[in-house]
Amino acid sequence: MSEQGVNNTIVTIGDINYLWGIFLLIASARKAGMREPFLVGCKRFTPRARQVLEGLGNVSFANLDDTTRSLTCYKPFTMLQAKTEFVTWADSDAFFTGNVSEILPPANPDEIHFRMRPPSELPGLMWKKLFGGDGTAVPQQVLDAWRRDVADVGQKASPEPRFTTTGSACFCSLSLARHREFLEVWHRLQMKVLPEKNVGVVDLSLQFYPQLDESTQNACLAFWPGAPRPQDTFKMNKDRSRLFVHFIAQPKPWQGWTRRSFRFFDEYVAVVDWAQSQGLELPGPVPSCLKARNKARMRLLIPWMTLKPKIVRRLRRLFGK
């Protein structure tokens, strides 16, 4: 194991509904031979839930039971609890396809390993409707708000942004030893501008911060002078055998499959099979969607599995639940 890997904590977060996701994220690392400590920001965890994750080895917890905001608002707060030189954030609805210990931290400790979005991927449909433009850059009105708010919480802000697109907040890795203050500024910005109630992971009523953690992270990276610069090359999407795979849509694989996520059915289910072969305690009975023998049926059910969460959300809005 490299010294970098030993000295790098992987941090994730979730409530009890994400126990399978957190378990398989950590299990995928252990299956691949990764030995990094994991730190889990958790809410409403039972003693058994903690025991299940501890069975994977070198897992600790940050208790978030007293928080009222969306858990995504506590990414930097939880990362700050790490004790290693480097800290890596990984969303809990994700997994590693192989051993990525060598490529997790940035090659240059002054930088952050972070995937910048190309202009075509900028999540700016709402911004385009509100502020115009072609949707390939963050609108000037948003940049102005970011600069003002970062200056407020960070005591200073750069006059011009480092970039006018955005990056994905599902993964990042940086030197905690050098960039603790960046995480503190990011946390303060979230506490200043994001709702105090749980609004999920997106709130389109927020003109400047609709993607909550991602919007605030990009604001800090763009305008806070002490922020690490994004590494030129994002390394986690180059080699099928060494990927960080993020399941971005509903349902999550432990609930069902989407067309996009189904590409990784075999690798993800293999993590479940490995955990069983190791005699590890599982979060519960293995869901039917995580059994290899059900692959053909899961493929056929994708249209329904994709539609069901949309129906549930609409019913909740109609009936106010």
PDB file of all heavy atoms in Angstrom, residues 12 14-24 26 40-57 59-62 65 280-284:
ATOM      1  N   THR A  12     -17.718   9.819   3.271  1.00  0.00           N
ATOM      2  CA  THR A  12     -19.022   9.781   2.605  1.00  0.00           C
ATOM      3  C   THR A  12     -20.081  10.119   3.635  1.00  0.00           C
ATOM      4  O   THR A  12     -19.783  10.366   4.802  1.00  0.00           O
ATOM      5  CB  THR A  12     -19.261   8.406   1.945  1.00  0.00           C
ATOM      6  OG1 THR A  12     -20.379   8.478   1.057  1.00  0.00           O
ATOM      7  CG2 THR A  12     -19.514   7.325   2.986  1.00  0.00           C
ATOM      8  N   GLY A  14     -24.628   9.752   4.642  1.00  0.00           N
ATOM      9  CA  GLY A  14     -25.929   9.209   4.300  1.00  0.00           C
ATOM     10  C   GLY A  14     -26.763   8.924   5.527  1.00  0.00           C
ATOM     11  O   GLY A  14     -26.242   8.808   6.647  1.00  0.00           O
ATOM     12  N   ASP A  15     -28.075   8.795   5.321  1.00  0.00           N
ATOM     13  CA  ASP A  15     -28.942   8.361   6.410  1.00  0.00           C
ATOM     14  C   ASP A  15     -29.161   6.856   6.290  1.00  0.00           C
ATOM     15  O   ASP A  15     -28.586   6.189   5.429  1.00  0.00           O
ATOM     16  CB  ASP A  15     -30.257   9.146   6.431  1.00  0.00           C
ATOM     17  CG  ASP A  15     -31.121   8.917   5.198  1.00  0.00           C
ATOM     18  OD1 ASP A  15     -30.896   7.933   4.458  1.00  0.00           O
ATOM     19  OD2 ASP A  15     -32.045   9.727   4.966  1.00  0.00           O
ATOM     20  N   ILE A  16     -30.007   6.318   7.138  1.00  0.00           N
ATOM     21  CA  ILE A  16     -30.186   4.871   7.207  1.00  0.00           C
ATOM     22  C   ILE A  16     -30.712   4.309   5.886  1.00  0.00           C
ATOM     23  O   ILE A  16     -30.460   3.142   5.560  1.00  0.00           O
ATOM     24  CB  ILE A  16     -31.125   4.512   8.382  1.00  0.00           C
ATOM     25  CG1 ILE A  16     -31.077   3.006   8.690  1.00  0.00           C
ATOM     26  CG2 ILE A  16     -32.533   4.993   8.105  1.00  0.00           C
ATOM     27  CD1 ILE A  16     -29.742   2.527   9.212  1.00  0.00           C
ATOM     28  N   ASN A  17     -31.398   5.129   5.089  1.00  0.00           N
ATOM     29  CA  ASN A  17     -31.911   4.656   3.802  1.00  0.00           C
ATOM     30  C   ASN A  17     -30.803   4.396   2.786  1.00  0.00           C
ATOM     31  O   ASN A  17     -31.044   3.743   1.761  1.00  0.00           O
ATOM     32  CB  ASN A  17     -32.899   5.673   3.223  1.00  0.00           C
ATOM     33  CG  ASN A  17     -34.132   5.832   4.080  1.00  0.00           C
ATOM     34  OD1 ASN A  17     -34.685   4.859   4.574  1.00  0.00           O
ATOM     35  ND2 ASN A  17     -34.565   7.070   4.278  1.00  0.00           N
ATOM     36  N   TYR A  18     -29.620   4.930   3.056  1.00  0.00           N
ATOM     37  CA  TYR A  18     -28.480   4.744   2.152  1.00  0.00           C
ATOM     38  C   TYR A  18     -27.491   3.717   2.685  1.00  0.00           C
ATOM     39  O   TYR A  18     -26.348   3.650   2.214  1.00  0.00           O
ATOM     40  CB  TYR A  18     -27.773   6.084   1.912  1.00  0.00           C
ATOM     41  CG  TYR A  18     -28.318   6.830   0.722  1.00  0.00           C
ATOM     42  CD1 TYR A  18     -29.638   7.296   0.715  1.00  0.00           C
ATOM     43  CD2 TYR A  18     -27.547   7.063  -0.402  1.00  0.00           C
ATOM     44  CE1 TYR A  18     -30.155   7.962  -0.381  1.00  0.00           C
ATOM     45  CE2 TYR A  18     -28.050   7.730  -1.506  1.00  0.00           C
ATOM     46  CZ  TYR A  18     -29.360   8.175  -1.479  1.00  0.00           C
ATOM     47  OH  TYR A  18     -29.864   8.831  -2.572  1.00  0.00           O
ATOM     48  N   LEU A  19     -27.908   2.897   3.648  1.00  0.00           N
ATOM     49  CA  LEU A  19     -26.986   1.949   4.253  1.00  0.00           C
ATOM     50  C   LEU A  19     -26.410   0.981   3.220  1.00  0.00           C
ATOM     51  O   LEU A  19     -25.201   0.707   3.224  1.00  0.00           O
ATOM     52  CB  LEU A  19     -27.674   1.175   5.379  1.00  0.00           C
ATOM     53  CG  LEU A  19     -26.793   0.157   6.112  1.00  0.00           C
ATOM     54  CD1 LEU A  19     -25.575   0.832   6.725  1.00  0.00           C
ATOM     55  CD2 LEU A  19     -27.603  -0.571   7.187  1.00  0.00           C
ATOM     56  N   TRP A  20     -27.254   0.461   2.322  1.00  0.00           N
ATOM     57  CA  TRP A  20     -26.741  -0.452   1.300  1.00  0.00           C
ATOM     58  C   TRP A  20     -25.716   0.268   0.414  1.00  0.00           C
ATOM     59  O   TRP A  20     -24.678  -0.285   0.059  1.00  0.00           O
ATOM     60  CB  TRP A  20     -27.872  -1.001   0.436  1.00  0.00           C
ATOM     61  CG  TRP A  20     -28.381  -2.342   0.871  1.00  0.00           C
ATOM     62  CD1 TRP A  20     -29.586  -2.613   1.473  1.00  0.00           C
ATOM     63  CD2 TRP A  20     -27.704  -3.605   0.746  1.00  0.00           C
ATOM     64  NE1 TRP A  20     -29.694  -3.968   1.734  1.00  0.00           N
ATOM     65  CE2 TRP A  20     -28.560  -4.592   1.292  1.00  0.00           C
ATOM     66  CE3 TRP A  20     -26.466  -3.993   0.242  1.00  0.00           C
ATOM     67  CZ2 TRP A  20     -28.211  -5.947   1.339  1.00  0.00           C
ATOM     68  CZ3 TRP A  20     -26.107  -5.340   0.285  1.00  0.00           C
ATOM     69  CH2 TRP A  20     -26.978  -6.303   0.823  1.00  0.00           C
ATOM     70  N   GLY A  21     -26.005   1.513   0.030  1.00  0.00           N
ATOM     71  CA  GLY A  21     -25.082   2.250  -0.815  1.00  0.00           C
ATOM     72  C   GLY A  21     -23.751   2.472  -0.142  1.00  0.00           C
ATOM     73  O   GLY A  21     -22.680   2.282  -0.746  1.00  0.00           O
ATOM     74  N   ILE A  22     -23.774   2.888   1.135  1.00  0.00           N
ATOM     75  CA  ILE A  22     -22.531   3.124   1.872  1.00  0.00           C
ATOM     76  C   ILE A  22     -21.756   1.825   2.028  1.00  0.00           C
ATOM     77  O   ILE A  22     -20.535   1.773   1.845  1.00  0.00           O
ATOM     78  CB  ILE A  22     -22.838   3.755   3.239  1.00  0.00           C
ATOM     79  CG1 ILE A  22     -23.502   5.123   3.067  1.00  0.00           C
ATOM     80  CG2 ILE A  22     -21.567   3.887   4.070  1.00  0.00           C
ATOM     81  CD1 ILE A  22     -24.070   5.698   4.356  1.00  0.00           C
ATOM     82  N   PHE A  23     -22.474   0.762   2.362  1.00  0.00           N
ATOM     83  CA  PHE A  23     -21.835  -0.542   2.539  1.00  0.00           C
ATOM     84  C   PHE A  23     -21.118  -0.974   1.259  1.00  0.00           C
ATOM     85  O   PHE A  23     -19.954  -1.401   1.289  1.00  0.00           O
ATOM     86  CB  PHE A  23     -22.886  -1.586   2.928  1.00  0.00           C
ATOM     87  CG  PHE A  23     -22.341  -2.984   3.065  1.00  0.00           C
ATOM     88  CD1 PHE A  23     -21.738  -3.401   4.237  1.00  0.00           C
ATOM     89  CD2 PHE A  23     -22.426  -3.885   2.009  1.00  0.00           C
ATOM     90  CE1 PHE A  23     -21.225  -4.690   4.365  1.00  0.00           C
ATOM     91  CE2 PHE A  23     -21.919  -5.171   2.118  1.00  0.00           C
ATOM     92  CZ  PHE A  23     -21.311  -5.574   3.301  1.00  0.00           C
ATOM     93  N   LEU A  24     -21.789  -0.834   0.111  1.00  0.00           N
ATOM     94  CA  LEU A  24     -21.191  -1.302  -1.140  1.00  0.00           C
ATOM     95  C   LEU A  24     -20.084  -0.377  -1.630  1.00  0.00           C
ATOM     96  O   LEU A  24     -19.146  -0.828  -2.299  1.00  0.00           O
ATOM     97  CB  LEU A  24     -22.276  -1.481  -2.197  1.00  0.00           C
ATOM     98  CG  LEU A  24     -23.232  -2.655  -1.916  1.00  0.00           C
ATOM     99  CD1 LEU A  24     -24.353  -2.699  -2.932  1.00  0.00           C
ATOM    100  CD2 LEU A  24     -22.469  -3.978  -1.898  1.00  0.00           C
ATOM    101  N   ILE A  26     -17.902   1.105   0.422  1.00  0.00           N
ATOM    102  CA  ILE A  26     -16.739   0.690   1.200  1.00  0.00           C
ATOM    103  C   ILE A  26     -16.308  -0.725   0.799  1.00  0.00           C
ATOM    104  O   ILE A  26     -15.116  -1.008   0.644  1.00  0.00           O
ATOM    105  CB  ILE A  26     -17.042   0.761   2.703  1.00  0.00           C
ATOM    106  CG1 ILE A  26     -17.468   2.185   3.101  1.00  0.00           C
ATOM    107  CG2 ILE A  26     -15.822   0.339   3.521  1.00  0.00           C
ATOM    108  CD1 ILE A  26     -17.947   2.312   4.539  1.00  0.00           C
ATOM    109  N   VAL A  40     -17.716   8.039   7.897  1.00  0.00           N
ATOM    110  CA  VAL A  40     -19.101   8.103   7.429  1.00  0.00           C
ATOM    111  C   VAL A  40     -19.881   9.116   8.257  1.00  0.00           C
ATOM    112  O   VAL A  40     -20.033   8.941   9.472  1.00  0.00           O
ATOM    113  CB  VAL A  40     -19.782   6.715   7.519  1.00  0.00           C
ATOM    114  CG1 VAL A  40     -21.228   6.806   7.041  1.00  0.00           C
ATOM    115  CG2 VAL A  40     -19.010   5.685   6.708  1.00  0.00           C
ATOM    116  N   GLY A  41     -20.351  10.169   7.612  1.00  0.00           N
ATOM    117  CA  GLY A  41     -21.292  11.068   8.258  1.00  0.00           C
ATOM    118  C   GLY A  41     -22.663  10.410   8.222  1.00  0.00           C
ATOM    119  O   GLY A  41     -23.171  10.107   7.146  1.00  0.00           O
ATOM    120  N   CYS A  42     -23.248  10.142   9.372  1.00  0.00           N
ATOM    121  CA  CYS A  42     -24.457   9.316   9.398  1.00  0.00           C
ATOM    122  C   CYS A  42     -25.581   9.967  10.202  1.00  0.00           C
ATOM    123  O   CYS A  42     -25.342  10.727  11.137  1.00  0.00           O
ATOM    124  CB  CYS A  42     -24.142   7.934   9.968  1.00  0.00           C
ATOM    125  SG  CYS A  42     -23.473   7.940  11.646  1.00  0.00           S
ATOM    126  N   LYS A  43     -26.795   9.644   9.781  1.00  0.00           N
ATOM    127  CA  LYS A  43     -27.985  10.151  10.455  1.00  0.00           C
ATOM    128  C   LYS A  43     -28.984   9.011  10.615  1.00  0.00           C
ATOM    129  O   LYS A  43     -29.213   8.245   9.685  1.00  0.00           O
ATOM    130  CB  LYS A  43     -28.609  11.301   9.652  1.00  0.00           C
ATOM    131  CG  LYS A  43     -29.757  12.005  10.373  1.00  0.00           C
ATOM    132  CD  LYS A  43     -30.132  13.289   9.662  1.00  0.00           C
ATOM    133  CE  LYS A  43     -31.182  14.057  10.462  1.00  0.00           C
ATOM    134  NZ  LYS A  43     -31.467  15.378   9.870  1.00  0.00           N
ATOM    135  N   ARG A  44     -29.563   8.913  11.810  1.00  0.00           N
ATOM    136  CA  ARG A  44     -30.560   7.890  12.122  1.00  0.00           C
ATOM    137  C   ARG A  44     -29.988   6.471  11.960  1.00  0.00           C
ATOM    138  O   ARG A  44     -30.703   5.555  11.582  1.00  0.00           O
ATOM    139  CB  ARG A  44     -31.821   8.059  11.279  1.00  0.00           C
ATOM    140  CG  ARG A  44     -32.579   9.355  11.562  1.00  0.00           C
ATOM    141  CD  ARG A  44     -33.964   9.364  10.952  1.00  0.00           C
ATOM    142  NE  ARG A  44     -33.920   9.397   9.504  1.00  0.00           N
ATOM    143  CZ  ARG A  44     -34.353   8.426   8.723  1.00  0.00           C
ATOM    144  NH1 ARG A  44     -34.848   7.322   9.232  1.00  0.00           N
ATOM    145  NH2 ARG A  44     -34.291   8.541   7.409  1.00  0.00           N
ATOM    146  N   PHE A  45     -28.705   6.304  12.245  1.00  0.00           N
ATOM    147  CA  PHE A  45     -28.101   4.980  12.177  1.00  0.00           C
ATOM    148  C   PHE A  45     -28.401   4.209  13.461  1.00  0.00           C
ATOM    149  O   PHE A  45     -28.296   4.755  14.565  1.00  0.00           O
ATOM    150  CB  PHE A  45     -26.586   5.097  12.007  1.00  0.00           C
ATOM    151  CG  PHE A  45     -26.132   5.006  10.578  1.00  0.00           C
ATOM    152  CD1 PHE A  45     -26.854   5.615   9.566  1.00  0.00           C
ATOM    153  CD2 PHE A  45     -24.984   4.317  10.240  1.00  0.00           C
ATOM    154  CE1 PHE A  45     -26.437   5.546   8.247  1.00  0.00           C
ATOM    155  CE2 PHE A  45     -24.551   4.243   8.929  1.00  0.00           C
ATOM    156  CZ  PHE A  45     -25.285   4.848   7.932  1.00  0.00           C
ATOM    157  N   THR A  46     -28.736   2.960  13.311  1.00  0.00           N
ATOM    158  CA  THR A  46     -28.901   2.074  14.460  1.00  0.00           C
ATOM    159  C   THR A  46     -27.535   1.511  14.853  1.00  0.00           C
ATOM    160  O   THR A  46     -26.587   1.541  14.067  1.00  0.00           O
ATOM    161  CB  THR A  46     -29.828   0.912  14.103  1.00  0.00           C
ATOM    162  OG1 THR A  46     -29.226   0.150  13.037  1.00  0.00           O
ATOM    163  CG2 THR A  46     -31.195   1.420  13.647  1.00  0.00           C
ATOM    164  N   PRO A  47     -27.423   0.985  16.068  1.00  0.00           N
ATOM    165  CA  PRO A  47     -26.156   0.320  16.439  1.00  0.00           C
ATOM    166  C   PRO A  47     -25.795  -0.787  15.453  1.00  0.00           C
ATOM    167  O   PRO A  47     -24.613  -0.968  15.123  1.00  0.00           O
ATOM    168  CB  PRO A  47     -26.442  -0.220  17.838  1.00  0.00           C
ATOM    169  CG  PRO A  47     -27.468   0.723  18.399  1.00  0.00           C
ATOM    170  CD  PRO A  47     -28.348   1.087  17.226  1.00  0.00           C
ATOM    171  N   ARG A  48     -26.786  -1.519  14.962  1.00  0.00           N
ATOM    172  CA  ARG A  48     -26.486  -2.588  14.009  1.00  0.00           C
ATOM    173  C   ARG A  48     -25.947  -2.021  12.697  1.00  0.00           C
ATOM    174  O   ARG A  48     -25.041  -2.614  12.084  1.00  0.00           O
ATOM    175  CB  ARG A  48     -27.725  -3.441  13.730  1.00  0.00           C
ATOM    176  CG  ARG A  48     -27.420  -4.580  12.762  1.00  0.00           C
ATOM    177  CD  ARG A  48     -28.640  -5.419  12.392  1.00  0.00           C
ATOM    178  NE  ARG A  48     -28.241  -6.425  11.409  1.00  0.00           N
ATOM    179  CZ  ARG A  48     -28.150  -6.219  10.108  1.00  0.00           C
ATOM    180  NH1 ARG A  48     -28.450  -5.005   9.615  1.00  0.00           N
ATOM    181  NH2 ARG A  48     -27.774  -7.179   9.283  1.00  0.00           N
ATOM    182  N   ALA A  49     -26.497  -0.893  12.236  1.00  0.00           N
ATOM    183  CA  ALA A  49     -26.001  -0.288  10.993  1.00  0.00           C
ATOM    184  C   ALA A  49     -24.522   0.058  11.125  1.00  0.00           C
ATOM    185  O   ALA A  49     -23.727  -0.187  10.202  1.00  0.00           O
ATOM    186  CB  ALA A  49     -26.815   0.954  10.654  1.00  0.00           C
ATOM    187  N   ARG A  50     -24.147   0.603  12.246  1.00  0.00           N
ATOM    188  CA  ARG A  50     -22.726   0.918  12.476  1.00  0.00           C
ATOM    189  C   ARG A  50     -21.887  -0.368  12.502  1.00  0.00           C
ATOM    190  O   ARG A  50     -20.789  -0.419  11.957  1.00  0.00           O
ATOM    191  CB  ARG A  50     -22.556   1.689  13.779  1.00  0.00           C
ATOM    192  CG  ARG A  50     -23.157   3.093  13.745  1.00  0.00           C
ATOM    193  CD  ARG A  50     -22.910   3.819  15.047  1.00  0.00           C
ATOM    194  NE  ARG A  50     -23.470   5.165  15.035  1.00  0.00           N
ATOM    195  CZ  ARG A  50     -22.795   6.276  15.310  1.00  0.00           C
ATOM    196  NH1 ARG A  50     -21.504   6.202  15.593  1.00  0.00           N
ATOM    197  NH2 ARG A  50     -23.385   7.444  15.287  1.00  0.00           N
ATOM    198  N   GLN A  51     -22.440  -1.387  13.146  1.00  0.00           N
ATOM    199  CA  GLN A  51     -21.724  -2.659  13.249  1.00  0.00           C
ATOM    200  C   GLN A  51     -21.480  -3.260  11.868  1.00  0.00           C
ATOM    201  O   GLN A  51     -20.390  -3.797  11.595  1.00  0.00           O
ATOM    202  CB  GLN A  51     -22.539  -3.614  14.113  1.00  0.00           C
ATOM    203  CG  GLN A  51     -21.959  -5.006  14.255  1.00  0.00           C
ATOM    204  CD  GLN A  51     -22.842  -5.886  15.119  1.00  0.00           C
ATOM    205  OE1 GLN A  51     -23.211  -5.530  16.242  1.00  0.00           O
ATOM    206  NE2 GLN A  51     -23.216  -7.045  14.590  1.00  0.00           N
ATOM    207  N   VAL A  52     -22.481  -3.162  10.986  1.00  0.00           N
ATOM    208  CA  VAL A  52     -22.344  -3.706   9.632  1.00  0.00           C
ATOM    209  C   VAL A  52     -21.195  -3.020   8.896  1.00  0.00           C
ATOM    210  O   VAL A  52     -20.378  -3.671   8.233  1.00  0.00           O
ATOM    211  CB  VAL A  52     -23.666  -3.548   8.854  1.00  0.00           C
ATOM    212  CG1 VAL A  52     -23.464  -3.757   7.356  1.00  0.00           C
ATOM    213  CG2 VAL A  52     -24.708  -4.528   9.384  1.00  0.00           C
ATOM    214  N   LEU A  53     -21.122  -1.699   9.002  1.00  0.00           N
ATOM    215  CA  LEU A  53     -20.057  -0.973   8.308  1.00  0.00           C
ATOM    216  C   LEU A  53     -18.705  -1.208   8.974  1.00  0.00           C
ATOM    217  O   LEU A  53     -17.675  -1.324   8.291  1.00  0.00           O
ATOM    218  CB  LEU A  53     -20.381   0.517   8.270  1.00  0.00           C
ATOM    219  CG  LEU A  53     -21.645   0.905   7.485  1.00  0.00           C
ATOM    220  CD1 LEU A  53     -21.800   2.423   7.442  1.00  0.00           C
ATOM    221  CD2 LEU A  53     -21.626   0.338   6.064  1.00  0.00           C
ATOM    222  N   GLU A  54     -18.674  -1.287  10.278  1.00  0.00           N
ATOM    223  CA  GLU A  54     -17.413  -1.547  10.989  1.00  0.00           C
ATOM    224  C   GLU A  54     -16.824  -2.894  10.600  1.00  0.00           C
ATOM    225  O   GLU A  54     -15.609  -3.076  10.625  1.00  0.00           O
ATOM    226  CB  GLU A  54     -17.652  -1.484  12.502  1.00  0.00           C
ATOM    227  CG  GLU A  54     -17.870  -0.077  13.026  1.00  0.00           C
ATOM    228  CD  GLU A  54     -18.336  -0.044  14.469  1.00  0.00           C
ATOM    229  OE1 GLU A  54     -18.823  -1.082  14.976  1.00  0.00           O
ATOM    230  OE2 GLU A  54     -18.219   1.024  15.091  1.00  0.00           O
ATOM    231  N   GLY A  55     -17.695  -3.823  10.186  1.00  0.00           N
ATOM    232  CA  GLY A  55     -17.219  -5.134   9.761  1.00  0.00           C
ATOM    233  C   GLY A  55     -16.332  -5.076   8.535  1.00  0.00           C
ATOM    234  O   GLY A  55     -15.599  -6.031   8.244  1.00  0.00           O
ATOM    235  N   LEU A  56     -16.376  -3.954   7.795  1.00  0.00           N
ATOM    236  CA  LEU A  56     -15.538  -3.786   6.609  1.00  0.00           C
ATOM    237  C   LEU A  56     -14.134  -3.300   6.958  1.00  0.00           C
ATOM    238  O   LEU A  56     -13.274  -3.240   6.082  1.00  0.00           O
ATOM    239  CB  LEU A  56     -16.216  -2.806   5.648  1.00  0.00           C
ATOM    240  CG  LEU A  56     -17.511  -3.335   5.005  1.00  0.00           C
ATOM    241  CD1 LEU A  56     -18.323  -2.187   4.423  1.00  0.00           C
ATOM    242  CD2 LEU A  56     -17.186  -4.360   3.929  1.00  0.00           C
ATOM    243  N   GLY A  57     -13.924  -2.937   8.199  1.00  0.00           N
ATOM    244  CA  GLY A  57     -12.589  -2.574   8.661  1.00  0.00           C
ATOM    245  C   GLY A  57     -12.244  -1.113   8.508  1.00  0.00           C
ATOM    246  O   GLY A  57     -12.447  -0.532   7.447  1.00  0.00           O
ATOM    247  N   VAL A  59     -13.477   1.770   9.782  1.00  0.00           N
ATOM    248  CA  VAL A  59     -14.587   2.681   9.507  1.00  0.00           C
ATOM    249  C   VAL A  59     -14.940   3.427  10.788  1.00  0.00           C
ATOM    250  O   VAL A  59     -15.135   2.815  11.836  1.00  0.00           O
ATOM    251  CB  VAL A  59     -15.834   1.924   8.990  1.00  0.00           C
ATOM    252  CG1 VAL A  59     -17.002   2.891   8.776  1.00  0.00           C
ATOM    253  CG2 VAL A  59     -15.514   1.179   7.699  1.00  0.00           C
ATOM    254  N   SER A  60     -15.009   4.757  10.705  1.00  0.00           N
ATOM    255  CA  SER A  60     -15.434   5.575  11.836  1.00  0.00           C
ATOM    256  C   SER A  60     -16.617   6.437  11.413  1.00  0.00           C
ATOM    257  O   SER A  60     -16.985   6.476  10.232  1.00  0.00           O
ATOM    258  CB  SER A  60     -14.278   6.447  12.347  1.00  0.00           C
ATOM    259  OG  SER A  60     -13.798   7.298  11.314  1.00  0.00           O
ATOM    260  N   PHE A  61     -17.207   7.146  12.376  1.00  0.00           N
ATOM    261  CA  PHE A  61     -18.467   7.833  12.112  1.00  0.00           C
ATOM    262  C   PHE A  61     -18.449   9.265  12.657  1.00  0.00           C
ATOM    263  O   PHE A  61     -17.823   9.548  13.671  1.00  0.00           O
ATOM    264  CB  PHE A  61     -19.634   7.068  12.759  1.00  0.00           C
ATOM    265  CG  PHE A  61     -19.753   5.647  12.282  1.00  0.00           C
ATOM    266  CD1 PHE A  61     -19.117   4.623  12.975  1.00  0.00           C
ATOM    267  CD2 PHE A  61     -20.468   5.345  11.136  1.00  0.00           C
ATOM    268  CE1 PHE A  61     -19.204   3.313  12.538  1.00  0.00           C
ATOM    269  CE2 PHE A  61     -20.558   4.045  10.691  1.00  0.00           C
ATOM    270  CZ  PHE A  61     -19.927   3.021  11.384  1.00  0.00           C
ATOM    271  N   ALA A  62     -19.151  10.139  11.937  1.00  0.00           N
ATOM    272  CA  ALA A  62     -19.455  11.483  12.415  1.00  0.00           C
ATOM    273  C   ALA A  62     -20.971  11.557  12.546  1.00  0.00           C
ATOM    274  O   ALA A  62     -21.693  11.388  11.553  1.00  0.00           O
ATOM    275  CB  ALA A  62     -18.941  12.535  11.442  1.00  0.00           C
ATOM    276  N   ASP A  65     -27.055  13.392  13.625  1.00  0.00           N
ATOM    277  CA  ASP A  65     -28.452  13.262  14.041  1.00  0.00           C
ATOM    278  C   ASP A  65     -29.097  14.606  14.368  1.00  0.00           C
ATOM    279  O   ASP A  65     -30.314  14.770  14.225  1.00  0.00           O
ATOM    280  CB  ASP A  65     -28.558  12.342  15.266  1.00  0.00           C
ATOM    281  CG  ASP A  65     -28.478  10.874  14.883  1.00  0.00           C
ATOM    282  OD1 ASP A  65     -28.684  10.553  13.700  1.00  0.00           O
ATOM    283  OD2 ASP A  65     -28.190  10.038  15.774  1.00  0.00           O
ATOM    284  N   LEU A 280     -19.185 -11.531   5.514  1.00  0.00           N
ATOM    285  CA  LEU A 280     -19.471 -10.252   6.144  1.00  0.00           C
ATOM    286  C   LEU A 280     -20.957 -10.126   6.481  1.00  0.00           C
ATOM    287  O   LEU A 280     -21.819 -10.642   5.752  1.00  0.00           O
ATOM    288  CB  LEU A 280     -19.066  -9.110   5.212  1.00  0.00           C
ATOM    289  CG  LEU A 280     -17.571  -8.968   4.930  1.00  0.00           C
ATOM    290  CD1 LEU A 280     -17.331  -7.974   3.805  1.00  0.00           C
ATOM    291  CD2 LEU A 280     -16.830  -8.532   6.196  1.00  0.00           C
ATOM    292  N   GLU A 281     -21.239  -9.430   7.559  1.00  0.00           N
ATOM    293  CA  GLU A 281     -22.627  -9.122   7.884  1.00  0.00           C
ATOM    294  C   GLU A 281     -23.132  -8.082   6.896  1.00  0.00           C
ATOM    295  O   GLU A 281     -22.491  -7.052   6.675  1.00  0.00           O
ATOM    296  CB  GLU A 281     -22.726  -8.583   9.308  1.00  0.00           C
ATOM    297  CG  GLU A 281     -24.152  -8.349   9.774  1.00  0.00           C
ATOM    298  CD  GLU A 281     -24.239  -7.893  11.222  1.00  0.00           C
ATOM    299  OE1 GLU A 281     -23.171  -7.678  11.852  1.00  0.00           O
ATOM    300  OE2 GLU A 281     -25.367  -7.756  11.719  1.00  0.00           O
ATOM    301  N   LEU A 282     -24.284  -8.340   6.291  1.00  0.00           N
ATOM    302  CA  LEU A 282     -24.845  -7.454   5.281  1.00  0.00           C
ATOM    303  C   LEU A 282     -25.866  -6.513   5.902  1.00  0.00           C
ATOM    304  O   LEU A 282     -26.387  -6.770   7.005  1.00  0.00           O
ATOM    305  CB  LEU A 282     -25.509  -8.276   4.169  1.00  0.00           C
ATOM    306  CG  LEU A 282     -24.625  -9.298   3.442  1.00  0.00           C
ATOM    307  CD1 LEU A 282     -25.441 -10.043   2.380  1.00  0.00           C
ATOM    308  CD2 LEU A 282     -23.416  -8.631   2.818  1.00  0.00           C
ATOM    309  N   PRO A 283     -26.201  -5.420   5.212  1.00  0.00           N
ATOM    310  CA  PRO A 283     -27.219  -4.497   5.739  1.00  0.00           C
ATOM    311  C   PRO A 283     -28.580  -5.149   5.930  1.00  0.00           C
ATOM    312  O   PRO A 283     -29.401  -4.665   6.714  1.00  0.00           O
ATOM    313  CB  PRO A 283     -27.282  -3.403   4.660  1.00  0.00           C
ATOM    314  CG  PRO A 283     -25.927  -3.426   4.036  1.00  0.00           C
ATOM    315  CD  PRO A 283     -25.524  -4.863   4.014  1.00  0.00           C
ATOM    316  N   GLY A 284     -28.845  -6.235   5.218  1.00  0.00           N
ATOM    317  CA  GLY A 284     -30.119  -6.933   5.301  1.00  0.00           C
ATOM    318  C   GLY A 284     -30.152  -8.006   4.238  1.00  0.00           C
ATOM    319  O   GLY A 284     -29.130  -8.300   3.593  1.00  0.00           O
TER     320      GLY A 284
END
